[in-house]
Amino acid sequence: MWGEFWYESKYRLAGFIGLIVSLSLLRNSVAPNKKVVVVVDRWDEAIMLSVFGLLKLLVEHRVLFIAKSASLLTYELFDEIGVYFVTTKSVYLRYYPSLLQANKDMRLLII
Amino acid sequence: MKFIKKSVRLAPKVSLILLDWSVRESFHLLHYLSKQEVDRDLFEVIIVEYYSRVSDAIRNFEDQVDSWLLLEMPDDCYYHKHLMYNAGIIAAIGDICVICDSDAMVKPTFIRSIIAEFEKHSNLVLHIDQFRNSRKDLYPFSYPEFSEVTGRGCINNQQGKTKGILDDDDPVHTRNYGACMCARREDLIAIGGADEHIDYLGHICGPYEMTFRLINYGRIESWHQSEFMYHTWHPGQAGVNNYLAPHDGRHIAAAAIESLTERKVYPKVENKFIRELRVSEERIHTWNSDYEIACGCPEGWKVSKQSMKVDKNRTANVPRSWCGYIIERDVEDYQAYPLIENSNIFSGRQRLNVISADSYCDLQREIIKSLPFAMKGMLPVACVLILIARGFGFLFGRAYGKLSSVL
């Protein structure tokens, strides 16, 4: 039980670190007409992202915290042109039926 | 490779592919297949045995088996289910291939439901979920009633449906993707069959790997809402004492997740015979040569019994993402480039530097060195805090689960 918890935590943390580094690298590489929305499914990760954002270490972004897949479908920015989504593999795996189209449209970056 | 029996069915619609690697004690699915409502000529049963064992459990139901194939892999070669899937797909004659558990129960409507779903929608990849009962008194299998399996001891019955079917929020982990997967044989060949990469060796594997690539190919994933399989407890389930390839912590193969996220259609390692079928017009394979392992290195499919590990060098030449970078192994060195460069978000006004180093460890060091100072200080703190939060969440979840079971 603990072994699986540790393995899953390592997998998720690797995704989170990749997410932070990628958002940091994006700081000077996003066109002004593009918006970045980061999709997370855990409140602790959302808080940490906000902290990094406040310290100006990351590209300007919005955090979209989703606890249920239904909230993704009603998200108002979802179909807007020029909005790009960034998420981790763990979150994508959890919500891929809802995020599939964004991935096909190349509007989703999965870390 | 040896055929003990070859199918003589002329035009079955469905080919059921059942696997064994000299471990199965019971093939009671065959009993339930003999009770199907549809004409027996509408489906064929293919058994693929990885080693050379001629199982007595199958002998008991031999009249239900149409093709029985022994791959005769060496005893020291660890089991790779995807190789067996491919053998089954090649041997199949039916339009629809069904890869499912051979130690589960099914209702007499099982085959009819599958055919009906594909008649309604032709571009499907269909899954059927499974009720699971944890009662140990149902072992050895003694043909219980269906209501007994869904009753006391059932871990996922919710108002007559499986919990996974009712769950839209984390279906990959709550539904049983390995229980039963059905897809058109044409489609399975078109995506190059099952991936025979070493990252699927042992217990961490499953037909969902093909489901993910079929989705990328344009097929629609669908779960049957009223047809289910029924599974009772037996020793050694859930991969106990098996080699586990890289996974997400909840037994979904990391390589399969990569296929899904990177919109891959073809496997990393394609089976030679599947490729022949894919590129040729002829869809039926003539078995005129020995079955060949596509990667050509069965030596790599060996697992140390003490450490339950494989030789890492055999997996190191595959690109991996680490810390937001894609890592590739060149002939002489390792190279890393930022993952964001693959994305439309990246404007490409200035190309980010590619980092290279002589070894994997050096490359990791170089990547860390390239991070801003504040980031290097903040990241470990953030990770520890997240880990603590996850730990509390895990403990709370366990306590809540125990409390609710007591109440």
Side-chain angles (χ1 to χ4, degrees), chain B residues 320-365:
Chain B
R320 299 240 173 246
S321 59
W322 187 80
C323 207
Y325 280 78
I326 298 270
I327 295 179
E328 282 177 351
R329 189 181 187 178
D330 214 341
V331 183
E332 287 175 351
D333 61 358
Y334 286 85
Q335 292 195 332
Y337 64 90
L339 226 152
I340 55 165
E341 287 189 10
N342 284 345
S343 159
N344 281 2
I345 308 175
F346 181 64
S347 67
R349 279 178 296 174
Q350 73 185 78
R351 188 133 185 105
L352 297 161
N353 286 336
V354 173
I355 300 171
S356 53
D358 291 339
S359 71
Y360 190 78
C361 292
D362 288 345
L363 190 75
Q364 286 176 316
R365 233 171 275 139

Side-chain angles (χ1 to χ4, degrees), chain A residues 29 34 69 94 96 103 106, chain B residues 169 177 221 263 344 347:
Chain A
S29 314
K34 290 177 184 172
S69 59
R94 186 169 168 188
Y96 77 85
N103 194 19
M106 305 280 284
Chain B
D169 289 325
Y177 270 71
E221 180 187 338
R263 299 184 297 274
N344 281 2
S347 67

Side-chain angles (χ1 to χ4, degrees), chain A residues 4 7-9 11-12 18 20-21 24 29 34 42 44 48 68-69 84 89 93-94 96 103 106, chain B residues 168-169 172 177 215 221 247 250-251 257 261 263 321 323-324 344-347 375 385-386 389-390:
Chain A
E4 286 195 1
Y7 208 109
E8 191 186 354
S9 299
Y11 189 83
R12 284 201 69 111
I20 294 285
V21 172
S24 160
S29 314
K34 290 177 184 172
R42 287 189 59 90
D44 45 0
M48 284 302 155
K68 297 249 174 232
S69 59
Y84 287 84
K89 283 177 185 164
L93 185 67
R94 186 169 168 188
Y96 77 85
N103 194 19
M106 305 280 284
Chain B
D168 288 330
D169 289 325
V172 172
Y177 270 71
I215 292 169
E221 180 187 338
H247 62 96
R250 296 174 74 180
H251 289 196
I257 299 171
T261 57
R263 299 184 297 274
S321 59
C323 207
N344 281 2
I345 308 175
F346 181 64
S347 67
M375 181 76 74
L385 290 174
I386 288 175
R390 278 186 59 82

Side-chain angles (χ1 to χ4, degrees), chain A residues 1 3 18 43 45-46 49 54-55 60 62 68 80 85 90-91 96 100-101 105:
Chain A
M1 191 66 91
W43 61 266
E45 289 175 7
L49 268 170
L54 285 173
L55 293 171
E60 202 174 307
R62 283 192 195 187
K68 297 249 174 232
E80 206 174 288
F85 294 86
S90 307
V91 177
Y96 77 85
L100 209 58
Q101 197 53 48
D105 297 344

Side-chain angles (χ1 to χ4, degrees), chain B residues 111-249:
Chain B
I111 299 287
R112 197 184 63 191
S113 302
I114 293 170
I115 294 172
E117 285 299 305
F118 278 88
E119 279 172 356
K120 272 192 270 176
H121 311 281
S122 60
N123 60 343
L124 277 189
V125 46
L126 176 71
H127 279 266
I128 294 176
D129 205 9
Q130 192 172 65
F131 285 109
R132 292 187 79 90
N133 194 301
S134 60
R135 270 171 57 192
K136 294 189 176 169
D137 58 310
L138 294 178
Y139 174 81
F141 188 74
S142 53
Y143 300 91
E145 293 294 322
F146 289 100
S147 56
E148 219 177 330
V149 181
T150 55
R152 186 171 64 86
C154 183
I155 57 170
N156 61 342
N157 184 359
Q158 209 166 317
Q159 296 150 359
K161 287 192 174 189
T162 58
K163 268 184 194 164
I165 284 291
L166 299 171
D167 176 23
D168 288 330
D169 289 325
D170 193 9
V172 172
H173 295 114
T174 50
R175 296 176 188 177
N176 189 338
Y177 270 71
C180 178
M181 179 260 207
C182 321
R184 289 201 179 276
R185 184 172 179 265
E186 284 277 334
D187 292 343
L188 293 171
I189 291 169
I191 61 159
D195 194 340
E196 292 184 8
H197 193 269
I198 195 166
D199 278 354
Y200 297 102
L201 190 71
H203 180 71
I204 301 296
C205 65
Y208 60 85
E209 178 271 320
M210 287 187 282
T211 303
F212 291 166
R213 284 186 292 114
L214 282 166
I215 292 169
N216 297 337
Y217 181 62
R219 296 295 167 259
I220 296 162
E221 180 187 338
S222 168
W223 285 78
H224 208 291
Q225 298 296 310
S226 54
E227 193 68 49
F228 298 101
M229 297 187 89
Y230 303 78
H231 188 272
T232 53
W233 181 89
H234 60 76
Q237 62 179 30
V240 179
N241 296 330
N242 277 231
Y243 166 69
L244 304 180
H247 62 96
D248 69 340

Side-chain angles (χ1 to χ4, degrees), chain B residues 9-41:
Chain B
R9 307 254 173 225
L10 290 176
K13 278 193 175 176
V14 175
S15 297
L16 281 117
I17 300 166
L18 310 180
L19 315 183
D20 189 16
W21 49 105
S22 299
V23 291
R24 290 246 181 264
E25 291 176 14
S26 178
F27 271 84
H28 47 263
L29 177 73
L30 296 170
H31 164 79
Y32 294 94
L33 289 177
S34 70
K35 311 276 181 204
Q36 292 298 302
E37 285 172 356
V38 295
D39 182 359
R40 185 61 184 83
D41 280 332

